[in-house]
């Protein structure tokens, strides 16, 4: 046990040292870029970018490194290198947004890539529990007490597909099918020799919501609102 603990400490210390070294490499790459030594930028970054796991950059550092490489290749008039670096940046952060401080060349390059899905699919399945509320009851019925409904376990299945026109607007089509089960109990002739009669009630529900989604493309939060039409059927 003690041996494993020391091995863990050694591994942890080495990983922290490697991360510190890569952090220093990123600082050196920024300094080289700011000094106009563009040819030296990739040399400071490539070694840590090629390392995997905790031995290299963190995810945030990778995003910054690929951003710096992309801008460097753009200034060096290397469009292929710029596109490859920006593609790797998007692999690390698909929701990356161009900053107001970024050069206009990076903004033009970003327009060549689609980082949001065109069509997305979702599926849901799970149990449901439904209750019944008595709104009207025939008081002339020979039955004595009001019916009592007990909830049974049902099932709900849904599937949806959303077509994204852009990062702000999308249309969603969903099919939702549910099976609802209730047990009805009636007490007959409660003032005499009463008898309890039980029966099951089963319902199949289906709905087809069609909704339009509007999303505000913020930098950190993405609030959205849905609106649409939902035809439903109960059997």
């Amino acid at each position: 046990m003690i041996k494993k603990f020391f091995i863990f400490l050694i591994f942890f210390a080495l990983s922290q040292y490697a991360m510190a070294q890569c952090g220093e490499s990123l600082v050196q790459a920024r300094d080289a870029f700011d000094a106009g030594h563009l040819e030296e930028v990739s040399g400071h970054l490539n070694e840590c970018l090629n390392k995997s796991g905790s031995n290299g950059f963190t995810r945030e550092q990778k995003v910054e490194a690929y951003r710096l490489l992309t801008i460097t290749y753009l200034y060096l008039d290397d469009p292929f290198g710029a596109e490859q670096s920006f593609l790797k940046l998007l692999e690390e952060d698909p929701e990356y947004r161009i900053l107001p401080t970024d050069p206009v060349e990076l903004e033009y390059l970003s327009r060549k890539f689609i980082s949001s899905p065109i069509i997305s699919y979702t599926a849901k399945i799970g149990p449901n529990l439904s209750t019944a509320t008595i709104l009207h009851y025939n008081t002339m019925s020979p039955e004595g007490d009001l019916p009592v409904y007990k909830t049974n376990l049902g099932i709900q299945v849904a599937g949806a597909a959303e077509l994204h026109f852009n990062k702000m607007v999308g249309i969603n089509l969903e099919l939702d099918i549910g099976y609802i089960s209730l047990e009805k109990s009636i007490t007959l002739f409660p003032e005499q020799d009463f008898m309890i009669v039980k029966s099951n009630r089963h319902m199949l529900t289906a709905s087809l919501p069609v909704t339009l989604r509007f999303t505000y493309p913020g930098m950190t939060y993405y609030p959205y609102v849905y609106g649409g039409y939902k035809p439903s059927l109960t059997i």
Side-chain angles (χ1 to χ4, degrees):
M1 186 67 182
I2 297 178
K3 182 179 179 181
K4 291 182 179 180
F5 178 72
F6 278 111
I7 293 176
F8 170 77
L9 286 181
I10 294 173
F11 177 79
F12 180 77
L14 290 176
S15 64
Q16 292 298 310
Y17 175 77
M19 290 177 62
Q21 290 292 103
C22 287
E24 181 63 27
S25 297
L26 185 57
V27 172
Q28 293 174 356
R30 291 197 197 102
D31 293 340
F33 180 86
D34 294 337
H37 304 153
L38 302 181
E39 295 82 2
E40 301 177 6
V41 173
S42 60
H44 290 297
L45 299 175
N46 286 336
E47 181 179 356
C48 288
L49 285 173
N50 293 330
K51 292 180 180 179
S52 59
S54 58
N55 294 325
F57 286 133
T58 63
R59 179 175 176 272
E60 291 75 15
Q61 289 174 333
K62 281 186 176 181
V63 171
E64 174 60 22
Y66 283 127
R67 172 187 171 276
L68 194 59
L69 271 180
T70 302
I71 299 175
T72 299
Y73 286 132
L74 286 172
Y75 287 166
L76 291 174
D77 197 20
D78 183 357
F80 179 77
E83 290 181 2
Q84 293 301 308
S85 296
F86 193 72
L87 181 60
K88 291 180 179 179
L89 184 154
L90 292 178
E91 290 175 356
E92 296 293 331
D93 184 7
E95 295 294 331
Y96 180 80
R97 303 293 179 90
I98 300 300
L99 302 174
T101 56
D102 287 333
V104 66
E105 292 87 353
L106 184 61
E107 181 180 354
Y108 291 150
L109 176 64
S110 67
R111 295 176 183 176
K112 296 182 179 181
F113 297 87
I114 299 175
S115 58
S116 59
I118 298 175
I119 299 178
S120 59
Y121 306 93
T122 58
K124 296 177 286 186
I125 184 172
N128 66 42
L129 293 172
S130 303
T131 59
T133 300
I134 300 175
L135 300 179
H136 177 74
Y137 184 69
N138 184 9
T139 57
M140 301 301 294
S141 172
E143 301 171 355
D145 295 341
L146 291 176
V148 176
Y149 288 90
K150 177 185 175 183
T151 299
N152 291 332
L153 197 64
I155 189 170
Q156 203 80 18
V157 179
E162 184 167 0
L163 175 63
H164 304 264
F165 299 110
N166 49 51
K167 290 186 176 181
M168 296 181 62
V169 183
I171 187 170
N172 185 79
L173 177 64
E174 182 175 349
L175 176 62
D176 191 335
I177 298 176
Y179 171 75
I180 298 173
S181 178
L182 298 170
E183 183 183 88
K184 179 182 178 182
S185 300
I186 300 176
T187 302
L188 299 178
F189 313 110
E191 296 179 357
Q192 305 174 20
D193 295 333
F194 68 89
M195 178 177 60
I196 298 178
V197 178
K198 296 183 179 181
S199 60
N200 290 322
R201 297 290 185 266
H202 306 288
M203 286 178 286
L204 186 65
T205 64
S207 62
L208 189 67
V210 180
T211 53
L212 195 63
R213 171 190 54 81
F214 294 93
T215 303
Y216 177 75
M219 297 298 296
T220 305
Y221 301 100
Y222 308 90
Y224 61 88
V225 60
Y226 277 97
Y229 180 67
K230 179 182 176 180
S232 301
L233 174 68
T234 301
I235 301 175

